[in-house]
């Protein structure tokens, strides 16, 4: 079996590319960490109107040291994940951030790091936990990308180069910060690798974890569906795959459904009479206009499909079709333009070299002079994914956020 310890040892001892991927990834994580320490001290923080909850309780000497070393990893959206891990989903807009990362770093902070409670506050232990977890996850993600590339590109050298580019990409700081990107890409790459090895249930389990980390994990169900339809068309002895696929798709969607049910119960049904919210957090809600659960029933609770996620993205982040097309956002479009142009060129290059394959949506076997590498037939589904992501991101998402997700898939 592919997951036995003996096979891992064999891969490690006989594959110098794999060893180098691990070493290079750890070096990149180390360099990124020291750069954030240096620049966090040298460059003042941008005074943006971002979520910045008050720190409850006095700092110890240990907390000041942790803030000095790890403080740069707790900015922007990282504040949400750290806050959720420490206080739970207190404010409505916190529910835009999925629970897998807060649960894991909370478990590490309240478990292995609990003996440090006398020296460090919970937030400091959460920062250390997230730095360790994301270092491990990003390294394993590079390994998973290498293994996926070996199967998809049919070239160890190309897979090795893609893994190295992934390690040293400009988005490395997001892989080190208290963001869910490292968890997401690890679960996604591992799931797609297992799918390429025709292990549907194992693949679905990984892709389900990706959905628990980020909402866009829902899109990964498309890979499973495409793989099933392709096998149904190309294989005569096709049996049992349909049930596995249905189960797999349900498994991938389940974390999203369960989290939306949690949000509905918490916001629309649950009685919070016994919930004690610190006065500092209540005051922050009053000053910033944050909506605390059960202060009143939000309007989205009465919708036919009461999805907290779509409501929060629309109301708090102004996400929607053409809603980001404003003159004041022109600098962000310019910021995203290099990755957008690279994405479009990648899509056009692949489709122009595989016209027949693209016409058949990669479902039928066609004659092609390319059997491996970037132009190989196994890459079609990833190029299709990139095209959908590029189009949706440009039209509906914040483009400066979308460039990260696009760059991530370009590395394959």
């Amino acid at each position: 079996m592919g997951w036995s310890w003996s096979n891992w040892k064999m891969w490690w001892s006989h594959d110098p590319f794999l060893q180098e991927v691990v070493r290079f990834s750890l070096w990149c994580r180390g360099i990124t960490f020291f750069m954030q320490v240096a620049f966090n001290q040298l460059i003042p923080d941008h005074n943006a109107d971002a979520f910045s909850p008050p720190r409850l309780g006095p700092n110890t000497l240990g907390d000041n040291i942790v803030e000095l070393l790890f403080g740069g990893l707790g900015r922007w959206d990282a504040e949400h994940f750290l806050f959720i891990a420490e206080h739970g989903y207190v404010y409505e807009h916190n529910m835009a951030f999925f629970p897998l990362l807060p649960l894991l770093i909370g478990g590490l902070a309240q478990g292995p790091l609990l003996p440090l409670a006398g020296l460090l506050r919970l937030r400091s232990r959460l920062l250390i936990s997230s730095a360790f977890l994301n270092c491990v996850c990003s390294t394993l993600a590079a390994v998973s990308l290498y293994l996926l590339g070996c199967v998809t590109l049919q070239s160890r050298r190309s897979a090795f180069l893609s893994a190295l580019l992934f390690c040293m990409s400009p988005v490395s700081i997001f892989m080190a910060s208290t963001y869910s990107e490292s968890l997401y890409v690890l679960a996604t790459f591992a799931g797609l690798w297992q799918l390429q090895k025709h292990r549907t249930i194992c693949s679905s389990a990984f892709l389900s974890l990706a959905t628990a980390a980020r909402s866009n994990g829902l899109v990964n169900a498309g890979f499973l569906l495409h793989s099933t339809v392709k096998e149904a068309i190309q294989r005569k002895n096709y049996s049992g795959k349909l049930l596995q696929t249905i189960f797999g798709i349900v498994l991938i969607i389940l974390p999203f459904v369960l989290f939306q049910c949690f949000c509905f119960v918490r916001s629309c049904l649950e009685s919070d009479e016994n919930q004690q919210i610190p006065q500092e957090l209540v005051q922050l809600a009053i000053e910033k206009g944050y909506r605390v659960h059960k202060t009143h029933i939000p309007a989205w609770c009465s919708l036919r499909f009461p999805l907290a996620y779509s409501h929060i993205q629309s109301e708090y982040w102004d996400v929607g079709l053409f809603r980001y097309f404003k003159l004041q956002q022109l600098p962000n479009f310019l910021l995203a333009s290099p990755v957008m142009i690279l994405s479009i060129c990648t899509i056009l290059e692949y489709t122009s070299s595989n016209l027949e394959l693209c016409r058949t949506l990669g479902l039928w076997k066609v004659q092609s002079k390319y059997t491996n590498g970037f132009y190989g037939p196994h890459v079609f589904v990833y190029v299709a994914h990139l095209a959908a992501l590029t189009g949706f991101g440009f039209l509906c998402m914040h483009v400066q956020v979308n460039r990260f997700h696009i760059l991530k898939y370009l590395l394959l």
Side-chain angles (χ1 to χ4, degrees):
M1 294 294 293
W3 291 103
S4 67
W5 175 245
S6 59
N7 278 3
W8 278 110
K9 288 201 300 184
M10 182 186 68
W11 279 340
W12 178 259
S13 59
H14 291 88
D15 192 341
F17 283 154
L18 181 61
Q19 299 174 28
E20 188 58 35
V21 166
V22 173
R23 282 193 290 264
F24 190 74
S25 177
L26 291 174
W27 269 106
C28 288
R29 297 288 77 76
I31 292 171
T32 302
F33 174 76
F34 285 112
M35 287 180 65
Q36 73 82 24
V37 172
F39 288 113
N40 192 42
Q41 302 306 313
L42 295 174
I43 301 176
D45 291 337
H46 173 56
N47 187 21
D49 188 24
F51 183 62
S52 182
R55 311 289 186 255
L56 305 184
N59 278 356
T60 66
L61 176 61
D63 292 323
N64 293 331
I65 294 174
V66 170
E67 184 65 27
L68 177 69
L69 296 176
F70 297 91
L73 304 178
R75 302 288 190 263
W76 297 93
D77 285 354
E79 290 279 16
H80 285 277
F81 289 111
L82 292 167
F83 180 84
I84 294 166
E86 186 173 3
H87 302 288
Y89 288 91
V90 175
Y91 305 126
E92 183 181 63
H93 65 298
N94 293 145
M95 295 187 300
F97 300 88
F98 277 45
L100 184 58
L101 178 62
L103 285 173
L104 290 178
I105 63 175
L108 289 172
Q110 299 282 28
L113 296 184
L114 187 59
L116 299 177
L119 301 173
L120 301 174
R121 290 185 308 155
L122 178 55
R123 176 186 163 83
S124 297
R125 286 180 278 133
L126 289 170
L127 267 174
I128 296 173
S129 299
S130 67
F132 170 78
L133 179 68
N134 282 339
C135 178
V136 172
C137 287
S138 60
T139 299
L140 292 178
V143 171
S144 299
L145 178 60
Y146 167 71
L147 296 174
L148 172 62
C150 288
V151 180
T152 303
L153 303 174
Q154 298 291 305
S155 167
R156 289 189 177 275
R157 183 177 181 276
S158 297
F160 174 66
L161 292 176
S162 68
L164 296 188
L165 287 172
F166 172 77
C167 294
M168 61 186 294
S169 69
V171 298
S172 289
I173 186 59
F174 294 104
M175 307 296 288
S177 299
T178 311
Y179 278 49
S180 57
E181 272 75 0
S182 291
L183 269 174
Y184 177 78
V185 294
L186 169 59
T188 300
F189 290 157
L192 295 178
W193 171 50
Q194 289 297 292
L195 185 61
Q196 290 284 5
K197 304 284 282 186
H198 305 290
R199 297 168 183 157
T200 304
I201 301 301
C202 188
S203 169
S204 301
F206 277 116
L207 296 179
S208 178
L209 289 175
T211 307
R214 297 184 65 86
S215 63
N216 48 329
L218 288 171
V219 182
N220 292 330
F223 290 107
L224 184 58
L225 185 62
H226 184 272
S227 174
T228 302
V229 175
K230 182 178 178 180
E231 288 191 27
I233 291 173
Q234 296 186 6
R235 293 171 57 183
K236 295 181 179 179
N237 297 324
Y238 175 78
S239 62
K241 182 72 174 179
L242 181 59
L243 290 177
Q244 288 188 20
T245 301
I246 294 174
F247 176 77
I249 290 176
V250 170
L251 198 61
I252 294 170
I253 296 174
L254 186 61
F256 181 86
V257 174
L258 291 177
F259 185 59
Q260 295 311 297
C261 289
F262 163 81
C263 295
F264 179 82
V265 170
R266 184 160 179 78
S267 300
C268 308
L269 300 179
E270 187 179 81
S271 175
D272 287 345
E273 294 177 358
N274 297 323
Q275 183 183 16
Q276 297 296 325
I277 301 177
Q279 185 58 39
E280 295 90 341
L281 302 184
V282 175
Q283 185 62 33
L284 178 68
I286 295 173
E287 293 174 358
K288 296 290 187 178
Y290 296 154
R291 195 171 295 160
V292 180
H293 294 300
K294 299 302 289 184
T295 52
H296 69 279
I297 303 297
W300 62 266
C301 290
S302 59
L303 297 177
R304 185 174 183 181
F305 297 102
L307 294 179
Y309 184 78
S310 56
H311 161 77
I312 291 167
Q313 288 289 341
S314 175
E315 179 168 332
Y316 291 92
W317 278 272
D318 200 29
V319 173
L321 183 63
F322 299 124
R323 290 174 69 173
Y324 210 62
F325 283 62
K326 302 173 183 177
L327 185 61
Q328 62 264 35
Q329 298 300 341
L330 181 60
N332 284 324
F333 278 93
L334 294 176
L335 182 66
S337 60
V339 174
M340 297 292 293
I341 293 171
L342 182 59
S343 301
I344 294 171
C345 291
T346 300
I347 296 164
L348 293 177
E349 177 68 18
Y350 185 87
T351 53
S352 63
S353 302
N354 294 275
L355 290 176
E356 186 63 26
L357 180 69
C358 294
R359 275 197 291 265
T360 61
L361 300 179
L363 299 174
W364 282 266
K365 290 182 178 179
V366 297
Q367 293 295 328
S368 174
K369 60 182 179 179
Y370 304 108
T371 58
N372 54 35
F374 168 72
Y375 298 101
H378 295 297
V379 180
F380 167 80
V381 68
Y382 301 104
V383 174
H385 189 200
L386 174 63
L389 184 65
T390 303
F392 177 78
F394 180 74
L395 296 175
C396 301
M397 293 173 61
H398 292 189
V399 289
Q400 76 272 23
V401 176
N402 184 50
R403 74 187 189 277
F404 165 77
H405 301 291
I406 294 175
L407 184 59
K408 195 169 55 182
Y409 294 104
L410 283 171
L411 296 174
L412 181 60

